[in-house]
Amino acid sequence: MAINAKNITNDELFFGHKACAGCGGALALRHALKVLGSNTTIALPAGCMSAVGFNFPQLCFANNAMITPFAATAAVASGIAAGLQMQGIDTATHPVIGFAGDGGTADIGIQALSGAIDRNEDIIYFCYDNEAYMNTGIQKSGLTPFCASTTTTPAGKNAHGALTQKKNIFEIVAAHGIAYAATASIGYLGDYLKKIEKAQSIRGTKFIHVIAPCPTGWGHGEDATAQFAKEVVDCGLWYLAEYEGPQTCGRPGGKFTITKRVKEFSPVEHYLKSQKRFAGVNEDDIKTIIASRDAKWEQINRDWV
């Protein structure tokens, strides 16, 4: 039976953590473990979730969990899966997951992730994306969006934050021919839960890229996390999609599918100007952001299902 908000378990496998109020990453992790269950083994790099989940003498995980070197999340998860296999334990009933942030995935951890996909390791890799290195002081990552202010790309008189566009890690992963990849948002929880459940039903390497707002780094209210995670989809700056590789869908090159089509985008201006990190954007910046969004959606509507 498909898991949804009505029948999801009340058991908590990630609790008592020290995350900031309204932490999107904590919500993404909490719900992932609710779907996958207590037999899950999780590898976390030295990011927000390991910092808030491992506080001696308190461990905030009810399942097996371990901290990995920053660059090694996918490699450690691969080793755990191999260890279970040698003991005759099936990852179909004992899932192995990696759970890393945007910097630990798209920058520092991309080599190990690429290798795991190449070997088709039977793991699920989650990238919880708060769009900067939040744990170490809000520095720019490869997934920081254009014009976002961080401590290494500050907005000021002569610069309006990050000068580069957000790296498309979803399509980079898909280009490997991965068994399954998806984008998700904690603002659309039903879609996220469904994709986790689907990923666990597929053998091989799976990747889920979930947008997870950070009130501290984004500069919004602690009670507005789900709102911003929904609004970024509604204004078209984040799309909800799946990729099924050739081995999964039986089609050469695989298949991209949009899982939510937005008939009419909500105002980008409202989304940006409601966050302190975009306080420096001007009208030209907004036009550039909208043009980039529209070009991407034109390609999606032309080439994807």
Side-chain angles (χ1 to χ4, degrees):
M1 183 172 62
I3 294 175
N4 56 47
K6 292 182 179 179
N7 62 21
I8 195 169
T9 179
N10 289 323
D11 294 340
E12 297 294 344
L13 301 179
F14 180 59
F15 57 90
H17 56 75
K18 304 302 188 293
C20 302
C23 174
L27 289 171
L29 178 52
R30 177 188 175 206
H31 284 91
L33 292 177
K34 278 177 172 284
V35 174
L36 296 171
S38 59
N39 289 330
T40 304
T41 302
I42 178 170
L44 307 101
C48 287
M49 291 304 100
S50 59
V52 305
F54 295 83
N55 292 278
F56 183 82
Q58 181 183 17
L59 175 66
C60 298
F61 294 92
N63 56 298
N64 289 323
M66 66 178 294
I67 300 177
T68 80
F70 213 160
T73 306
V76 171
S78 299
I80 294 169
L84 291 176
Q85 182 182 12
M86 292 300 292
Q87 298 177 73
I89 300 173
D90 192 347
T91 50
T93 56
H94 291 70
V96 178
I97 70 173
F99 204 88
D102 46 288
T105 299
D107 301 336
I108 298 171
I110 195 169
Q111 178 271 345
L113 175 59
S114 178
I117 300 169
D118 183 59
R119 298 187 302 273
N120 199 28
E121 304 285 0
D122 196 14
I123 62 174
I124 307 175
Y125 188 108
F126 290 82
C127 172
Y128 64 99
D129 186 1
N130 49 35
E131 300 191 321
Y133 288 90
M134 299 304 183
N135 182 50
T136 52
I138 317 176
Q139 296 89 3
K140 180 192 178 299
S141 80
L143 297 186
T144 299
F146 179 66
C147 281
S149 180
T150 71
T151 54
T152 52
T153 58
K157 181 179 179 180
N158 297 314
H160 300 162
L163 302 177
T164 56
Q165 296 287 343
K166 186 180 178 81
K167 190 184 296 183
N168 194 335
I169 190 66
F170 170 64
E171 292 187 41
I172 292 171
V173 164
H176 287 68
I178 193 171
Y180 177 78
T183 61
S185 168
I186 59 169
Y188 283 94
L189 191 58
D191 178 82
Y192 178 46
L193 300 180
K194 186 184 299 183
K195 287 168 177 172
I196 298 169
E197 197 170 23
K198 183 173 181 176
Q200 180 53 16
S201 72
I202 295 169
R203 304 313 291 259
T205 311
K206 290 80 63 174
F207 177 84
I208 298 178
H209 187 184
V210 55
I211 194 76
C214 169
T216 304
W218 290 25
H220 63 70
E222 297 166 352
D223 60 348
T225 298
Q227 169 194 323
F228 280 99
K230 184 175 186 296
E231 191 173 357
V232 70
V233 175
D234 295 344
C235 74
L237 296 182
W238 184 264
Y239 55 78
L240 301 181
E242 292 179 313
Y243 170 80
E244 296 171 279
Q247 61 175 300
T248 304
C249 72
R251 291 173 47 171
K255 180 178 72 171
F256 286 97
T257 306
I258 285 290
T259 59
K260 179 178 175 56
R261 289 193 179 273
V262 180
K263 292 183 179 179
E264 185 175 346
F265 296 130
S266 62
V268 166
E269 295 91 336
H270 181 269
Y271 172 74
L272 297 175
K273 293 184 177 181
S274 298
Q275 304 170 56
K276 291 181 180 178
R277 63 176 178 157
F278 290 114
V281 298
N282 59 28
E283 293 305 312
D284 288 338
D285 296 328
I286 292 173
K287 288 178 181 178
T288 299
I289 292 168
I290 291 174
S292 177
R293 177 202 67 183
D294 291 348
K296 183 60 191 177
W297 275 98
E298 182 181 354
Q299 181 255 316
I300 287 172
N301 290 328
R302 182 183 66 243
D303 299 336
W304 296 7
V305 178

